[in-house]
Amino acid sequence: MAIANQLKALLKSHADKDDERFYSIALQLAAHEAKIGHGKLAEELRDLVDQAKARRGLPPKNAARTVPIGRPRGELTGLLSVDYPKNRLGEMVLDETLAYQLKRIIREQRQATRLLSHGLSPRRKMLLMGSPGTGKTMTASVLAGELGLPLFLVRLDGLITKYMGESAAKLRLVFDATDRTRGVYFFDEFDAIGSQRGLANDVGEVRRILNSFLQMIEQDESHSLIVAATNHPEILDHALLRRFDDILHYESPDDEHIAAVLKSRLGGKTAKGVSWKRLASKAKGLSYAELVRACNETLKEALMGERKIISEADIRRAILDRCQMATRFKNKAR
């Protein structure tokens, strides 16, 4: 069915004289042929696209690296917001498993053309699971920054409507955009559309958009990365799991990682004798995001107080403030 849809789209783009769309679909067909083992045909299709673009003075293929830069227009303005992050993987403090998974995704994306030419697909559909503040949003920024891609945040408030069928139509616009403009498309708080069908609070339109998402991500053969993040993996529909290439689990930092975050953020500005281990024991239970905020508060206080050296007491004070805020929030949530 995906091939039939692509052939129809190919003819439509030709009739509409939409060259970029035509070439993009042709490259999708080439990628599909490579995936099923028709490497020679895939290479011939890519060469034909290159030759056609050359005659028109357009840049050659390598669709895996081509990034049309621009901001969402028309109906997409209410569905996508765009950013161009410069974050790098080295800025994150990760356990070995997560670090390996993210490095593998980045490596496969950088060698996507080579993999596709051998009938293999690079990882590009990821599901991130974990508590708030554990690094899921940062991961989307890092993937975009490492690969030099725009980061598109899918705005769920614009996507989900009360009118029957409208949400699915808007979701189709988002997936069409993944085909036209290569980037990292980030569905944050994904459980809003990915919750299990049949739950007590199941809403008809949300169920329809989930069904549409399952179908669209299955058929998607673009070169974009699709990243979904959830704080509530237990309510996700099980049919989603096999649609993703990778499922990444995020945990709250242990003492070792807490110390690493504090040291990486403040180490060059602290007095001698600061015990990162002792500070980590005080910060137990804080998320990565809360630790970063504590570090930033420490830096601001030092800057405003015109102090060039940060003491252990300064850091401990900011940590305790964060711990008290987190405790008050948890008590109110009960």
Side-chain angles (χ1 to χ4, degrees):
M1 183 61 72
I3 293 297
N5 290 336
Q6 287 171 331
L7 289 173
K8 288 188 287 186
L10 195 70
L11 291 173
K12 186 177 185 303
S13 62
H14 176 69
D16 294 342
K17 297 183 179 179
D18 187 345
D19 291 340
E20 279 301 322
R21 176 78 171 152
F22 182 88
Y23 296 138
S24 176
I25 297 167
L27 286 169
Q28 285 181 39
L29 290 170
H32 175 78
E33 293 302 317
K35 189 183 298 183
I36 61 177
H38 301 160
K40 189 172 186 303
L41 174 58
E43 191 61 36
E44 288 175 350
L45 288 172
R46 285 193 286 264
D47 287 343
L48 286 170
V49 170
D50 277 356
Q51 292 166 20
K53 284 189 170 187
R55 285 195 295 271
R56 292 178 175 270
L58 296 171
K61 69 178 180 203
N62 211 347
R65 296 182 186 174
T66 300
V67 184
I69 298 297
R71 295 193 173 274
R73 298 178 181 178
E75 290 184 88
L76 284 175
T77 55
L79 299 175
L80 298 173
S81 58
V82 65
D83 191 18
Y84 302 93
K86 303 296 183 186
N87 302 96
R88 293 292 183 266
L89 190 58
E91 297 173 30
M92 299 185 74
V93 176
L94 302 164
D95 61 45
E96 289 184 14
T97 301
L98 261 180
Y100 172 76
Q101 287 179 301
L102 291 176
K103 287 175 183 176
R104 182 173 59 184
I105 292 165
I106 293 166
R107 187 171 67 249
E108 289 190 10
Q109 282 294 314
R110 287 173 175 166
Q111 299 191 44
T113 301
R114 183 180 182 186
L115 293 174
L116 289 167
S117 69
H118 286 80
L120 301 169
S121 298
R123 285 174 168 80
R124 60 179 193 81
K125 300 173 185 177
M126 277 70 70
L127 177 61
L128 318 182
M129 298 179 173
S131 302
T134 49
K136 300 184 298 299
T137 301
M138 182 66 169
T139 293
S141 294
V142 163
L143 288 173
E146 287 282 355
L147 298 171
L149 296 174
L151 173 62
F152 293 100
L153 174 64
V154 181
R155 297 176 55 182
L156 297 183
D157 59 332
L159 186 64
I160 301 174
T161 73
K162 63 182 179 180
Y163 300 107
M164 185 180 295
E166 186 176 7
S167 298
K170 291 182 177 225
L171 185 63
R172 168 50 62 193
L173 290 175
V174 172
F175 273 92
D176 285 346
T178 68
D179 185 37
R180 287 194 307 273
T181 304
R182 185 174 180 240
V184 176
Y185 289 77
F186 185 44
F187 290 80
D188 198 7
E189 298 182 359
F190 182 63
D191 40 278
I193 63 173
S195 57
Q196 295 175 38
R197 290 161 288 190
L199 289 179
N201 61 348
D202 191 3
V203 179
E205 186 64 4
V206 174
R207 192 185 319 127
R208 280 186 286 273
I209 194 173
L210 170 59
N211 290 335
S212 297
F213 183 90
L214 289 169
Q215 188 176 46
M216 290 176 196
I217 195 172
E218 180 89 22
Q219 295 174 350
D220 178 74
E221 294 185 355
S222 70
H223 294 287
S224 292
L225 282 77
I226 297 170
V227 181
T230 178
N231 301 333
H232 304 286
E234 69 281 358
I235 67 171
L236 289 184
D237 194 284
H238 298 300
L240 281 164
L241 302 184
R242 66 181 180 85
R243 264 67 173 197
F244 290 94
D245 301 322
D246 250 345
I247 298 176
L248 286 70
H249 295 270
Y250 291 74
E251 303 290 343
S252 295
D254 57 20
D255 284 5
E256 181 182 348
H257 289 116
I258 291 172
V261 171
L262 296 175
K263 189 173 182 179
S264 68
R265 292 270 172 174
L266 303 172
K269 305 175 181 67
T270 54
K272 291 182 180 180
V274 167
S275 172
W276 303 110
K277 184 177 180 180
R278 190 162 50 233
L279 288 169
S281 68
K282 300 291 183 183
K284 193 169 293 186
L286 294 182
S287 69
Y288 285 106
E290 289 166 330
L291 289 171
V292 170
R293 290 191 184 101
C295 291
N296 289 342
E297 290 300 322
T298 304
L299 291 170
K300 285 192 292 185
E301 285 296 324
L303 182 63
M304 291 186 294
E306 297 183 348
R307 298 193 308 275
K308 294 183 179 180
I309 301 297
I310 296 171
S311 70
E312 184 172 332
D314 295 332
I315 304 170
R316 185 170 57 250
R317 189 179 305 113
I319 287 172
L320 292 177
D321 283 346
R322 278 287 146 191
C323 288
Q324 289 172 3
M325 289 177 64
T327 301
R328 284 196 293 268
F329 179 79
K330 287 176 184 176
N331 289 338
K332 285 185 179 180
R334 288 173 184 168

